[in-house]
Amino acid sequence: MMPQTNDDQQSSSPTNSSTKQQQRPKRTRRSLDPLLITPAAAARIHFLISQHNLNNPGSPEGPAVGIRLGTKKRGCNGLSYTLNYAYENHLENHPRDEAMTINLSSPDMEGNGLKVFVEPMALMNVIGTEMDFLDTVMTSEFTFTNPNSKGECGCGESFNV
C-alpha cells in the first residue's frame, strides 16, 4: 500500500470556492433612534423653535431646525439633561453628534420632521429614553423616562446610571 501524498490529501478536501458560497449572508442592522419622542413633546419642540425663530430673525447661526440633547454632571444625583437649539449648520460644528429626525404617525402633526441631535458623551446615558411633555396646573415641563437610570433625586432634576 502506498502512503498518501499531499496532493492526494488536498484533492479530497473541499475547495475554497464552494466554502465561500456556503457562507451566510450578512445581516443588515436596523438603525434605531436613541430617543422616543412623544407627539406632545414634538409639538412643544415645534412651538419653542417657531417662537425662537420668530423672535430671532437675523440670527447669525440661521434658523433653528431642532434641539440638541445632552447630559451634564450636576444636581444631587449625578447627571441632568440639557436642551439647546440646533441650527442648520449643526453637524458642521458638532460632527460627532448623533442625528435623528422626529417621525410621527401622521406627517401633518406638529413637530414631525424636526431634528434631534444627541451629544456623544450623553448617548450611552440616554439610549432608549422616552421624552414627553407634560402641561399640568402645577408644572409645564419635558419629562424623560430613562430605562438606564438607576436612581433619581426627589425633585426629578437629576439621575444616575
Side-chain angles (χ1 to χ4, degrees):
M1 179 168 200
M2 287 184 85
Q4 268 188 330
T5 64
N6 283 343
D7 294 338
D8 293 336
Q9 291 172 353
Q10 288 175 353
S11 65
S12 65
S13 66
T15 63
N16 286 341
S17 63
S18 65
T19 312
K20 288 181 183 176
Q21 292 173 352
Q22 295 174 358
Q23 289 178 348
R24 284 188 266 157
K26 289 185 178 182
R27 284 191 273 170
T28 55
R29 294 184 65 190
R30 192 175 72 165
S31 176
L32 297 175
D33 290 333
L35 293 171
L36 172 66
I37 299 182
T38 65
R44 184 61 180 186
I45 293 168
H46 179 263
F47 172 78
L48 292 172
I49 289 173
S50 298
Q51 291 299 307
H52 177 75
N53 289 339
L54 186 66
N55 294 329
N56 300 299
S59 175
E61 297 96 359
V65 295
I67 60 168
R68 184 179 195 216
L69 174 71
T71 56
K72 194 174 216 176
K73 290 183 182 183
R74 69 173 170 205
C76 50
N77 216 357
L79 297 170
S80 65
Y81 298 101
T82 62
L83 290 172
N84 294 301
Y85 292 108
Y87 300 94
E88 288 180 340
N89 60 351
H90 182 82
L91 285 177
E92 293 172 16
N93 298 330
H94 306 281
R96 294 179 51 216
D97 279 8
E98 182 74 22
M100 64 174 271
T101 303
I102 299 175
N103 293 313
L104 300 174
S105 58
S106 174
D108 41 320
M109 292 177 78
E110 280 190 345
N112 191 52
L114 291 175
K115 301 286 184 191
V116 176
F117 301 94
V118 181
E119 295 177 8
M121 296 299 287
L123 186 59
M124 294 310 289
N125 296 326
V126 301
I127 288 178
T129 298
E130 178 186 84
M131 180 179 176
D132 196 7
F133 181 74
L134 296 178
D135 192 12
T136 65
V137 175
M138 296 294 287
T139 184
S140 180
E141 66 184 350
F142 286 105
T143 62
F144 298 89
T145 306
N146 189 338
N148 306 310
S149 175
K150 302 287 187 247
E152 296 177 353
C153 68
C155 64
E157 287 292 317
S158 62
F159 68 101
N160 66 26
V161 288

